[in-house]
Amino acid sequence: MNNEHFETRCIHGDLAVALRDEKRAISFPIYQTASFSHIQTGHNESGFDYSRESNPTRQRLEEIVSSLEGAVGTTAFSSGMAAVSACFELFSPGDHMICSEDLYGGVIRLHNLISVKNGIQIDYVDTTDLSAVLNAIRPETKAIYVETPGNPMMEITDLRAGARIAREHGLLLIVDNTFLSPYFQNPLELGADIVVHSGSKFLSGHNDTIAGFASAKDQAIADKIRLISKTTGGVLPPFDSWLVMRGIKTLPIRMEQQQKNAQKIARWLQEQKKVEKVIYPGLKDHPGYEVNAGQTRGAGSMISFRVDCADTALRMLQKVKIVTFAESLGGTESLLTYPALQTHPDVPAETREHLGITDTLLRLSVGIENADDIISDLKQALE
Ligand SMILES: Cc1ncc(COP(=O)(O)O)c(C=O)c1O
């Protein structure tokens, strides 16, 4: 990584390696092409062959994400799930993984539908409890997979301690950094081996594209992930690469404004009679507050909260006007999600119950609208 500050790297990438447009366009061009021509055999002037393998627009974006995450290499995928799947492809039949139990439901579906069939075993453990992680390690364990903050219960895992355990037992530590983005958290610097992102969220930031990233600290792992992407083909198209690149330019100011709004809204929610619990790592009563503060530069803008009954939750979803009842997160628009039905329906009912993903739980992704307007909207929806 070079010496420029984070905000500068969001705009220009790593100046030492940045791919520049030969016409010196300020906005990097969209190379909407499937293939690249050659003058004669044995020569590849442009360095590009075929856009499944590599494409200049995608490469420029990958370099920016590497710069922001402190990675040696990043591969951009057509979705966050494609990036997670590529990481799971690093393992072979008989291998075992330990995953956070507070996890995006799609990853649990990936395990149940695909990984089990491929002979990979997964144990879900409470990764906030490091003794539970240690107890789950077996001779065939190959990786620890963590979301912190977890989706949707905002559980915080100590990444330095997780990395220590992974190192001592020869395991890979894979961290989903979607909820905080590299603006607030850099797992590779804390000892993780791979960072994954749903680029559909904070990185692109405008609820207008689907993308994913896997960034690695080690060249051999980065190369393996790139080969998996070239082989399985779930790559990010040029136009979507450009959209995410444009989104990243404003990542720092969006993250700051969203967090500022979230802090105000979390405190307001705490005072509401019909709200029984507010789960936000930026509140001092969050059990992971200290750990989160010690490994990040912020608590982000995702808030889960529990209301008094299912009826209140359903009415809120129907009545919100500025906040939108929709699945997804991390964009400029505030979204209210019902995890039990939207993000975690494929998770077995008893697991949902155990985690607290019940019919009274709502998840709010706070956008960049005026915080007072969001609060007025939530207030009328709660009445
Ligand atoms: C934490 C987390 N990781 C991964 C994903 C999957 O990303 P995508 O929807 O881009 O495939 C999601 C989607 O909501 C998510 O919330």
Side-chain angles (χ1 to χ4, degrees), residues 156 160 184-185 281-282 288-299:
I156 302 297
R160 286 190 192 89
F184 284 133
Q185 178 168 261
Y289 176 84
E290 294 291 340
V291 175
N292 189 67
Q295 66 188 12
T296 69
R297 294 174 289 278

PDB file of all heavy atoms in Angstrom, residues 156 160 184-185 281-282 288-299:
ATOM      1  N   ILE A 156     -20.093  -9.245  17.443  1.00  0.00           N
ATOM      2  CA  ILE A 156     -18.739  -8.775  17.130  1.00  0.00           C
ATOM      3  C   ILE A 156     -17.728  -9.856  17.504  1.00  0.00           C
ATOM      4  O   ILE A 156     -17.703 -10.344  18.641  1.00  0.00           O
ATOM      5  CB  ILE A 156     -18.411  -7.482  17.912  1.00  0.00           C
ATOM      6  CG1 ILE A 156     -19.438  -6.373  17.595  1.00  0.00           C
ATOM      7  CG2 ILE A 156     -16.983  -7.023  17.613  1.00  0.00           C
ATOM      8  CD1 ILE A 156     -19.476  -5.893  16.161  1.00  0.00           C
ATOM      9  N   ARG A 160      -8.346 -10.039  15.951  1.00  0.00           N
ATOM     10  CA  ARG A 160      -6.935 -10.322  16.277  1.00  0.00           C
ATOM     11  C   ARG A 160      -6.831 -11.687  16.951  1.00  0.00           C
ATOM     12  O   ARG A 160      -5.963 -12.494  16.624  1.00  0.00           O
ATOM     13  CB  ARG A 160      -6.368  -9.247  17.202  1.00  0.00           C
ATOM     14  CG  ARG A 160      -6.100  -7.929  16.510  1.00  0.00           C
ATOM     15  CD  ARG A 160      -5.320  -6.983  17.417  1.00  0.00           C
ATOM     16  NE  ARG A 160      -5.308  -5.647  16.869  1.00  0.00           N
ATOM     17  CZ  ARG A 160      -6.234  -4.713  17.124  1.00  0.00           C
ATOM     18  NH1 ARG A 160      -7.247  -4.978  17.935  1.00  0.00           N
ATOM     19  NH2 ARG A 160      -6.143  -3.519  16.565  1.00  0.00           N
ATOM     20  N   PHE A 184     -14.097   1.541   7.605  1.00  0.00           N
ATOM     21  CA  PHE A 184     -14.101   1.399   9.060  1.00  0.00           C
ATOM     22  C   PHE A 184     -13.277   0.213   9.564  1.00  0.00           C
ATOM     23  O   PHE A 184     -12.913   0.180  10.740  1.00  0.00           O
ATOM     24  CB  PHE A 184     -15.536   1.253   9.579  1.00  0.00           C
ATOM     25  CG  PHE A 184     -16.315   2.545   9.612  1.00  0.00           C
ATOM     26  CD1 PHE A 184     -17.610   2.605   9.114  1.00  0.00           C
ATOM     27  CD2 PHE A 184     -15.764   3.705  10.155  1.00  0.00           C
ATOM     28  CE1 PHE A 184     -18.336   3.796   9.154  1.00  0.00           C
ATOM     29  CE2 PHE A 184     -16.476   4.896  10.188  1.00  0.00           C
ATOM     30  CZ  PHE A 184     -17.760   4.942   9.689  1.00  0.00           C
ATOM     31  N   GLN A 185     -13.039  -0.789   8.722  1.00  0.00           N
ATOM     32  CA  GLN A 185     -12.364  -1.995   9.231  1.00  0.00           C
ATOM     33  C   GLN A 185     -11.497  -2.625   8.140  1.00  0.00           C
ATOM     34  O   GLN A 185     -11.956  -2.777   7.004  1.00  0.00           O
ATOM     35  CB  GLN A 185     -13.441  -2.990   9.696  1.00  0.00           C
ATOM     36  CG  GLN A 185     -12.909  -4.318  10.222  1.00  0.00           C
ATOM     37  CD  GLN A 185     -13.999  -5.127  10.926  1.00  0.00           C
ATOM     38  OE1 GLN A 185     -14.099  -5.117  12.151  1.00  0.00           O
ATOM     39  NE2 GLN A 185     -14.815  -5.838  10.166  1.00  0.00           N
ATOM     40  N   PRO A 281     -23.565  -1.763  17.371  1.00  0.00           N
ATOM     41  CA  PRO A 281     -22.243  -1.841  18.028  1.00  0.00           C
ATOM     42  C   PRO A 281     -21.688  -0.483  18.453  1.00  0.00           C
ATOM     43  O   PRO A 281     -20.686  -0.431  19.170  1.00  0.00           O
ATOM     44  CB  PRO A 281     -21.332  -2.488  16.968  1.00  0.00           C
ATOM     45  CG  PRO A 281     -22.186  -2.851  15.820  1.00  0.00           C
ATOM     46  CD  PRO A 281     -23.549  -2.244  15.985  1.00  0.00           C
ATOM     47  N   GLY A 282     -22.341   0.604  18.044  1.00  0.00           N
ATOM     48  CA  GLY A 282     -21.904   1.940  18.461  1.00  0.00           C
ATOM     49  C   GLY A 282     -22.529   2.368  19.780  1.00  0.00           C
ATOM     50  O   GLY A 282     -22.219   3.454  20.280  1.00  0.00           O
ATOM     51  N   GLY A 288     -20.448  -6.240  22.311  1.00  0.00           N
ATOM     52  CA  GLY A 288     -19.209  -6.220  21.534  1.00  0.00           C
ATOM     53  C   GLY A 288     -18.642  -4.815  21.356  1.00  0.00           C
ATOM     54  O   GLY A 288     -17.713  -4.616  20.563  1.00  0.00           O
ATOM     55  N   TYR A 289     -19.175  -3.835  22.112  1.00  0.00           N
ATOM     56  CA  TYR A 289     -18.776  -2.434  21.920  1.00  0.00           C
ATOM     57  C   TYR A 289     -17.252  -2.252  22.002  1.00  0.00           C
ATOM     58  O   TYR A 289     -16.633  -1.672  21.113  1.00  0.00           O
ATOM     59  CB  TYR A 289     -19.487  -1.546  22.953  1.00  0.00           C
ATOM     60  CG  TYR A 289     -19.062  -0.101  22.893  1.00  0.00           C
ATOM     61  CD1 TYR A 289     -19.635   0.785  21.989  1.00  0.00           C
ATOM     62  CD2 TYR A 289     -18.053   0.377  23.734  1.00  0.00           C
ATOM     63  CE1 TYR A 289     -19.226   2.108  21.923  1.00  0.00           C
ATOM     64  CE2 TYR A 289     -17.641   1.702  23.670  1.00  0.00           C
ATOM     65  CZ  TYR A 289     -18.239   2.562  22.771  1.00  0.00           C
ATOM     66  OH  TYR A 289     -17.824   3.865  22.706  1.00  0.00           O
ATOM     67  N   GLU A 290     -16.654  -2.779  23.093  1.00  0.00           N
ATOM     68  CA  GLU A 290     -15.209  -2.575  23.315  1.00  0.00           C
ATOM     69  C   GLU A 290     -14.391  -3.254  22.223  1.00  0.00           C
ATOM     70  O   GLU A 290     -13.439  -2.685  21.690  1.00  0.00           O
ATOM     71  CB  GLU A 290     -14.780  -3.147  24.681  1.00  0.00           C
ATOM     72  CG  GLU A 290     -15.378  -2.433  25.888  1.00  0.00           C
ATOM     73  CD  GLU A 290     -14.830  -1.020  26.055  1.00  0.00           C
ATOM     74  OE1 GLU A 290     -13.762  -0.728  25.516  1.00  0.00           O
ATOM     75  OE2 GLU A 290     -15.527  -0.201  26.706  1.00  0.00           O
ATOM     76  N   VAL A 291     -14.748  -4.512  21.921  1.00  0.00           N
ATOM     77  CA  VAL A 291     -13.977  -5.253  20.901  1.00  0.00           C
ATOM     78  C   VAL A 291     -14.081  -4.530  19.563  1.00  0.00           C
ATOM     79  O   VAL A 291     -13.079  -4.319  18.862  1.00  0.00           O
ATOM     80  CB  VAL A 291     -14.474  -6.720  20.784  1.00  0.00           C
ATOM     81  CG1 VAL A 291     -13.766  -7.435  19.639  1.00  0.00           C
ATOM     82  CG2 VAL A 291     -14.252  -7.472  22.095  1.00  0.00           C
ATOM     83  N   ASN A 292     -15.288  -4.103  19.210  1.00  0.00           N
ATOM     84  CA  ASN A 292     -15.466  -3.402  17.936  1.00  0.00           C
ATOM     85  C   ASN A 292     -14.639  -2.117  17.906  1.00  0.00           C
ATOM     86  O   ASN A 292     -13.949  -1.829  16.926  1.00  0.00           O
ATOM     87  CB  ASN A 292     -16.949  -3.096  17.698  1.00  0.00           C
ATOM     88  CG  ASN A 292     -17.198  -2.571  16.295  1.00  0.00           C
ATOM     89  OD1 ASN A 292     -17.037  -3.294  15.329  1.00  0.00           O
ATOM     90  ND2 ASN A 292     -17.539  -1.303  16.185  1.00  0.00           N
ATOM     91  N   ALA A 293     -14.698  -1.366  19.022  1.00  0.00           N
ATOM     92  CA  ALA A 293     -13.965  -0.098  19.060  1.00  0.00           C
ATOM     93  C   ALA A 293     -12.458  -0.335  18.943  1.00  0.00           C
ATOM     94  O   ALA A 293     -11.736   0.485  18.379  1.00  0.00           O
ATOM     95  CB  ALA A 293     -14.294   0.650  20.354  1.00  0.00           C
ATOM     96  N   GLY A 294     -11.995  -1.481  19.445  1.00  0.00           N
ATOM     97  CA  GLY A 294     -10.563  -1.775  19.427  1.00  0.00           C
ATOM     98  C   GLY A 294     -10.044  -2.262  18.079  1.00  0.00           C
ATOM     99  O   GLY A 294      -8.832  -2.356  17.882  1.00  0.00           O
ATOM    100  N   GLN A 295     -10.938  -2.620  17.168  1.00  0.00           N
ATOM    101  CA  GLN A 295     -10.451  -3.164  15.898  1.00  0.00           C
ATOM    102  C   GLN A 295     -11.002  -2.437  14.675  1.00  0.00           C
ATOM    103  O   GLN A 295     -10.746  -2.853  13.539  1.00  0.00           O
ATOM    104  CB  GLN A 295     -10.761  -4.663  15.808  1.00  0.00           C
ATOM    105  CG  GLN A 295     -12.240  -5.025  15.740  1.00  0.00           C
ATOM    106  CD  GLN A 295     -12.477  -6.539  15.844  1.00  0.00           C
ATOM    107  OE1 GLN A 295     -11.574  -7.308  16.188  1.00  0.00           O
ATOM    108  NE2 GLN A 295     -13.676  -6.976  15.537  1.00  0.00           N
ATOM    109  N   THR A 296     -11.768  -1.373  14.908  1.00  0.00           N
ATOM    110  CA  THR A 296     -12.348  -0.642  13.775  1.00  0.00           C
ATOM    111  C   THR A 296     -12.162   0.869  13.980  1.00  0.00           C
ATOM    112  O   THR A 296     -11.702   1.304  15.035  1.00  0.00           O
ATOM    113  CB  THR A 296     -13.873  -0.894  13.673  1.00  0.00           C
ATOM    114  OG1 THR A 296     -14.505  -0.263  14.801  1.00  0.00           O
ATOM    115  CG2 THR A 296     -14.223  -2.372  13.668  1.00  0.00           C
ATOM    116  N   ARG A 297     -12.608   1.627  12.979  1.00  0.00           N
ATOM    117  CA  ARG A 297     -12.609   3.085  13.110  1.00  0.00           C
ATOM    118  C   ARG A 297     -14.040   3.606  13.192  1.00  0.00           C
ATOM    119  O   ARG A 297     -14.295   4.783  13.000  1.00  0.00           O
ATOM    120  CB  ARG A 297     -11.885   3.691  11.905  1.00  0.00           C
ATOM    121  CG  ARG A 297     -10.402   3.358  11.861  1.00  0.00           C
ATOM    122  CD  ARG A 297      -9.728   3.837  10.586  1.00  0.00           C
ATOM    123  NE  ARG A 297     -10.137   3.073   9.429  1.00  0.00           N
ATOM    124  CZ  ARG A 297      -9.632   1.882   9.074  1.00  0.00           C
ATOM    125  NH1 ARG A 297      -8.670   1.343   9.795  1.00  0.00           N
ATOM    126  NH2 ARG A 297     -10.074   1.233   8.009  1.00  0.00           N
ATOM    127  N   GLY A 298     -15.005   2.668  13.457  1.00  0.00           N
ATOM    128  CA  GLY A 298     -16.391   3.103  13.564  1.00  0.00           C
ATOM    129  C   GLY A 298     -17.320   1.916  13.722  1.00  0.00           C
ATOM    130  O   GLY A 298     -16.912   0.766  13.591  1.00  0.00           O
ATOM    131  N   ALA A 299     -18.588   2.229  13.992  1.00  0.00           N
ATOM    132  CA  ALA A 299     -19.569   1.167  14.224  1.00  0.00           C
ATOM    133  C   ALA A 299     -20.527   1.030  13.042  1.00  0.00           C
ATOM    134  O   ALA A 299     -21.390   0.158  13.036  1.00  0.00           O
ATOM    135  CB  ALA A 299     -20.354   1.461  15.500  1.00  0.00           C
TER     136      ALA A 299
END
